[in-house]
Amino acid sequence: FDKWNANSAAYIQPLTPTGDFTSGSTTTSGSRTNALQSASGQLVTGTDYKIGFTINSFFVGDTQGFLDDRLKVSLGVKYIDYKVDGYNYLPGPQKDITAHFSKWLPRASFSVDATDDIQLYGNIIKSFRMPLTTGTYINTYNAGTGALATAGNPAAPAESSVGKQIGARYSGLFRLDVNYFNTKIKDH
């Protein structure tokens, strides 16, 4: 089980006459009170958000040997539950940030000791990758113009893939491993 938080604030900060950054305290959103503000008091910023991630997963699998353990077959499944909750402190339509993914990720592999020196093997594995934080969930703005730089998409799907591999290993006078693999990626 894993839980972590991320905060990001990118804003324009005035400089002192000597070219140093001014000092200031931190607001609830993580922004500094000395950041450049508009006439209405809004921070001039590109990003200002707080986001939390909760990842729960488990795996169960087993390996069985056959033909005096010359043939081994492994089967398993991983379950992952990924939640994102956060808040965008910038003005605009996107305030609350939420996303949730749950995936079952099966996997299987085999190996056959064809001789004492040669092993044949293969596997198939399903996996996925959560979307990146910025550019997916968060609206970001150009700090100079205030224009939308990247529109967040909290409904973006997780990237999923199915990887397949088949190969042969030789372990005699020297070691050689030759394999073919293919990965098909969806929602990349």
Side-chain angles (χ1 to χ4, degrees):
F1 302 102
D2 193 11
K3 185 170 185 164
W4 49 282
N5 294 306
N7 296 317
S8 176
Y11 51 89
I12 298 173
Q13 184 177 4
L15 299 176
T16 66
T18 60
D20 296 320
F21 288 106
T22 56
S23 62
S25 60
T26 304
T27 65
T28 17
S29 71
S31 301
R32 300 202 40 103
T33 55
N34 61 332
L36 191 61
Q37 297 178 7
S38 67
S40 67
Q42 182 66 45
L43 291 174
V44 177
T45 180
T47 61
D48 191 5
Y49 65 86
K50 180 178 184 177
I51 196 161
F53 304 87
T54 303
I55 304 167
N56 297 311
S57 67
F58 71 89
F59 174 81
V60 63
D62 190 32
T63 300
Q64 293 292 316
F66 304 96
L67 305 173
D68 294 327
D69 272 354
R70 292 183 74 81
L71 169 63
K72 292 187 180 169
V73 177
S74 296
L75 298 173
V77 65
K78 179 179 184 179
Y79 176 78
I80 191 161
D81 187 70
Y82 174 78
K83 293 179 185 173
V84 177
D85 291 297
Y87 189 80
N88 188 2
Y89 294 99
L90 296 180
Q94 186 195 43
K95 290 291 182 197
D96 293 316
I97 301 156
T98 60
H100 182 232
F101 304 100
S102 293
K103 299 276 185 185
W104 287 98
L105 306 170
R107 56 187 62 213
S109 66
F110 77 92
S111 66
V112 178
D113 295 334
T115 69
D116 289 342
D117 297 337
I118 298 174
Q119 180 186 63
L120 306 174
Y121 65 92
N123 62 49
I124 183 166
I125 299 171
K126 185 172 182 180
S127 63
F128 92 112
R129 183 179 72 128
M130 291 74 74
L132 301 174
T133 305
T134 54
T136 303
Y137 304 118
I138 312 295
N139 285 350
T140 59
Y141 299 88
N142 181 311
T145 66
L148 183 66
T150 305
N153 180 8
E159 175 184 292
S160 61
S161 66
V162 176
K164 301 171 190 170
Q165 177 177 311
I166 192 161
R169 292 186 182 100
Y170 171 76
S171 299
L173 298 172
F174 56 91
R175 291 183 181 256
L176 178 67
D177 192 341
V178 177
N179 67 52
Y180 169 79
F181 61 90
N182 180 299
T183 303
K184 187 170 187 172
I185 300 172
K186 182 180 172 189
D187 295 321
H188 176 64

